[in-house]
Amino acid sequence: MIKSTKLFNFLMACLISCNVLAQTPFENPIKKQGRLNSPLVETSPFVFQNKLYLLENNQYFWDVEGAKPGDYFHEDEIRIRDLESGKLISVPLKNHGFGTVLTWKDTVYVFAGNYGNGKPWRQMTEITMTSSKDLKSWTKPRTVFRASGKEFFFNTAVCRGKDKFIMLYETNDPKWKPFTLRYLESTDLINWKEIPDAIYGTNKYVGGPALYYEGGWYYTLYLEALNKSWETHITRSKDLVQWEDAPKDRPFVTFDPTHFNMPLTDPKISENNASDVELCYFRDKTILYFTGGNQQIAGDLQWATYEGTPKQLFEHFFEDSEKNIEAPPEHKGSWTPVLTAPQEQTMNGKNPTFEATNKPSPQQLAFQERQLGAFIHYGPAAYIESDMMSVPAADVFNPSQLDAEQWVRTAKSFGAKHIVLTAKHHNGYCLWPTETTDYSIKKSPWKKGKGDVVAEFVKACRKYDIEIGLYVSGGDKHFGCSSTPDPQGERKIVGDIHRYFPVFMEQLRELLTNYGEISYLWFDGAYDPFGWDVMDPKTMQPLGTAYGDAIHSMVKHLQPNAVIMGGTKPDVRWSGSEQGWAAYPLENIVRPGEGLEMWVGPQNAGWIPAEANLHTRSTWFWTPDSDKTLRDIPFLKKVYFESIGRGANLLVNITPDTTGLIPNAEVKRLSDFGKTLEETFATPLGSTSSIVDQPNNHLVIDFHKKQKVNLLVLEEDIQHGQHINAYKVEAYLDKVWKTIAEGQSIGRKRIQTFPATKSTKLRLTLDGEDDRMFINNFTVYFSEK
């Protein structure tokens, strides 16, 4: 053990509260230069042969008095304008829209969506390319990419990347939010293929994108939807898979509400939009064009400049972003956590003063978007028939074929988006080479005591691009400190918490600093000596929340992007079930006084989403001859519908055996589970969603012909809270609307089956707070099983 008395004394002498690092106010360096009295929306400035040009997407209805959007769309054209003279040079494409431009070597390439013949306006399924060496003579247009299934294309953008060309396009694929961005690659600008997992914007509104490659980063400009307004933001990636957004308070270009008298728009309407930003470098400046307006029939073309290169401009939005958080995520040298006293102790069952929040933090929202996760229970218990409370010799842990990549592949096979590993369970055995105790991997024969299970797990997760979670038990049977297994409110401390607390904090510090960024910390409420309700066995007085709050403070300092399950200040709560279900209706908000009913302490209130967990065998850890206890596919599907389908998250356990591998029977069962889910939701029959920032309590799916349906999926836009109290779905039968399904809460997701019905259209009616009810997704299916 470490010399805990000295460390504990130091902890107790630390400051009670944490200082926030000083922030340097962010200033946007882009200077707006004026409005151009033009309705153009999608434009692209570019430089060719030392001259500045503008690619314009002109919609012909703008030129016809009284015309509406979409009128005469076959006359829409992509054209080139010389910005010095103001003259039109050429029209590379007609009957096209959403065009973009790339200059490469001595050639200009134009890409755009082809309207085709006999198709509705903007239901484009082909991307066309044409090129020119003089901006006057253009090659014969050729189709370079076609949509798959029922997908349509919208905006495109193309850039030269590190060693190939990259194309971005907006898709209407119903499994994501509208205008989600997908990325393609090509070596010749003609043959394009999708980049696996290169997607951006699946969990939020994006649109009007632009794409650039500077300094080893791919930068995407995209439209962010605010409250009835829109502004352009910036994100970046090294690989087009993992994205880093600039801080939310750093919009790339935002609107000016003092602007009125916009083209083709009621002069009394003010600007609430800054979209479709594109730029180029010309004569020592970055030149930007964007549109204002109000996202209606036309834009209000404007231009701006930046005194420097695009690379310098893009980097400016990411500079010193770590200064805006309480502390940097990686600490060097010796670091001691702060023991933080709560504002008011939970002595004698009294509730402290708190400020409830009714919407998710960005971290909670990301957690809820992931929905499905995997739990890995592994440790000495797997070698002693799953007695997790026993404390066997440290050398009992001795895998012969441990393969963390196999664990991760198994988790991904059924759709898990994060994995939680039991780094330390109740017996106190540490799966990493901690400096705090010899009861750890250091005493295992595996790799002669030089192994590190946590390191191998983290490495495998990063290789397969899955979020990392760690389970850490507060109770420690080996040290001799835990709580009794009594019911909530009656638990008593076991052992010397004052001596154990600094040891636990050091173990936690090791996990939070030695393995890079993690997404999820899982604190088990069972046997936890730091729980809000644990009492001194002699005085029968609660110990309060100071220890638990200090743990929370440490996590938020070292891993500010991680969500915390359990503890005194949880981001996530238990659903109350280890059989994989959640109660229905399900609320994300814990109201004052409801904490005990929702498995959190009475001091908690606000947005605390639920997670159910499930052991797929009869026990959490592997035991011999337990393959026969594996849950079958119908049970697993039922669990999915009764947890994720009720708005909760689900954590499904997987169990490495004594070799360190997940048994083949379990691997196959979970893979089959994943295939069943894919098959169930593979073929949507119809889908719709709320219009962005225009709540509507009636949504209709029109099939245009009779369809047989028996399954629906609803997703509420929860980024601003949970506001839908009830819903019903009606089918249009014999010219009358008849209710076929109804329910109460929706939240993150509602999955519901109902008797098979044939109808030409369905109507969803919502009840709740009308001005804040938004449906991200209303989709229906027919499922044979």
Side-chain angles (χ1 to χ4, degrees), residues 148 150-152 171-180 182:
S148 59
K150 298 180 180 180
E151 183 181 45
F152 302 137
T171 176
N172 75 324
D173 194 316
K175 64 186 174 186
W176 298 307
K177 286 181 176 287
F179 314 125
T180 293
R182 304 207 68 178

Side-chain angles (χ1 to χ4, degrees), residues 234-400:
I234 184 169
T235 186
R236 68 180 181 181
S237 174
K238 290 281 191 180
D239 59 4
L240 298 168
V241 176
Q242 295 289 334
W243 292 91
E244 176 190 0
D245 293 349
K248 284 285 188 183
D249 59 353
R250 299 183 180 186
F252 194 76
V253 178
T254 194
F255 54 91
D256 185 348
T258 66
H259 286 177
F260 292 84
N261 299 302
M262 295 174 288
L264 305 179
T265 303
D266 186 334
K268 297 179 182 178
I269 294 176
S270 67
E271 181 177 285
N272 66 354
N273 174 73
S275 69
D276 299 273
V277 181
E278 294 207 37
L279 55 86
C280 67
Y281 188 61
F282 182 64
R283 294 180 181 172
D284 301 319
K285 291 183 180 180
T286 298
I287 310 296
L288 305 93
Y289 276 75
F290 67 98
T291 191
N294 69 333
Q295 283 281 334
Q296 297 299 317
I297 63 172
D300 182 22
L301 190 63
Q302 302 175 44
W303 73 295
T305 59
Y306 165 72
E307 299 292 333
T309 66
K311 178 176 181 291
Q312 292 169 329
L313 174 60
F314 297 151
E315 289 175 347
H316 184 84
F317 288 83
F318 295 88
E319 285 178 355
D320 302 322
S321 60
E322 70 276 4
K323 291 183 180 179
N324 290 321
I325 59 177
E326 291 183 350
E330 295 183 8
H331 291 258
K332 298 180 179 179
S334 178
W335 191 90
T336 305
V338 177
L339 181 61
T340 308
Q343 291 182 344
E344 189 174 327
Q345 292 287 343
T346 57
M347 303 297 286
N348 302 318
K350 295 180 180 179
N351 292 341
T353 302
F354 56 81
E355 181 179 349
T357 57
N358 60 4
K359 61 182 180 180
S361 68
Q363 294 88 345
Q364 287 174 313
L365 187 61
F367 167 81
Q368 290 186 267
E369 288 297 315
R370 295 197 293 268
Q371 299 181 89
L372 183 58
F375 218 168
I376 298 179
H377 275 70
Y378 190 43
Y383 296 78
I384 55 171
E385 301 198 11
S386 199
D387 184 356
M388 63 180 69
M389 298 305 296
S390 294
V391 186
D395 61 1
V396 72
F397 183 85
N398 187 21
S400 58

Side-chain angles (χ1 to χ4, degrees), residues 510-625:
E510 291 174 346
L511 288 172
L512 299 182
T513 57
N514 292 343
Y515 300 98
E517 186 171 10
I518 64 173
S519 297
Y520 198 15
L521 257 292
W522 216 97
F523 294 130
D524 200 328
Y527 303 98
D528 178 15
F530 311 120
W532 63 269
D533 64 325
V534 176
M535 298 179 292
D536 185 303
K538 294 180 180 179
T539 66
M540 298 303 289
Q541 292 293 311
L543 298 177
T545 62
Y547 290 108
D549 291 355
I551 292 168
H552 180 275
S553 177
M554 180 183 227
V555 175
K556 290 303 180 183
H557 273 72
L558 296 179
Q559 295 285 350
N561 292 321
V563 292
I564 301 173
M565 163 72 185
T568 57
K569 295 181 177 181
D571 299 309
V572 178
R573 63 184 176 87
W574 185 42
S575 75
S577 169
E578 291 186 345
Q579 299 301 313
W581 54 262
Y584 187 81
L586 186 73
E587 294 290 333
N588 286 290
I589 298 171
V590 176
R591 291 173 175 80
E594 293 182 350
L596 293 179
E597 300 172 18
M598 296 191 176
W599 301 98
V600 296
Q603 75 276 13
N604 295 119
W607 189 274
I608 313 177
E611 178 188 66
N613 48 29
L614 172 72
H615 46 85
T616 48
R617 296 176 183 267
S618 58
T619 52
W620 283 109
F621 288 86
W622 177 85
T623 57
D625 196 31

Side-chain angles (χ1 to χ4, degrees), residues 150 637 641 676-687 701 703 705-713 740 751-759 762 778-785:
K150 298 180 180 180
K637 184 177 179 181
F641 277 40
T676 297
L677 293 178
E678 288 181 4
E679 292 169 0
T680 301
F681 302 105
T683 310
L685 300 176
S687 182
I701 296 176
F703 302 122
K705 65 178 182 178
K706 280 194 173 183
Q707 293 279 12
K708 189 176 182 181
V709 296
N710 64 355
L711 174 65
L712 65 85
V713 174
I740 58 174
I751 304 173
Q752 186 176 9
T753 58
F754 50 89
T757 303
K758 280 189 175 181
S759 179
L762 302 179
F778 169 32
T779 305
V780 292
Y781 306 80
F782 178 72
S783 176
E784 297 284 356
K785 299 179 181 180

Side-chain angles (χ1 to χ4, degrees), residues 143-214:
T143 299
V144 294
F145 194 71
R146 289 183 171 86
S148 59
K150 298 180 180 180
E151 183 181 45
F152 302 137
F153 297 133
F154 301 103
N155 278 293
T156 59
V158 182
C159 77
R160 175 66 182 183
K162 180 180 179 181
D163 55 2
K164 61 191 68 174
F165 300 96
I166 305 296
M167 179 189 293
L168 169 161
Y169 72 89
E170 295 175 342
T171 176
N172 75 324
D173 194 316
K175 64 186 174 186
W176 298 307
K177 286 181 176 287
F179 314 125
T180 293
L181 311 181
R182 304 207 68 178
Y183 296 81
L184 313 172
E185 62 182 11
S186 172
T187 57
D188 59 8
L189 294 169
I190 298 171
N191 299 288
W192 295 86
K193 63 179 182 179
E194 291 184 354
I195 304 172
D197 299 322
I199 306 171
Y200 182 79
T202 59
N203 61 348
K204 63 181 177 182
Y205 176 94
V206 297
L211 178 67
Y212 305 92
Y213 182 77
E214 297 285 349

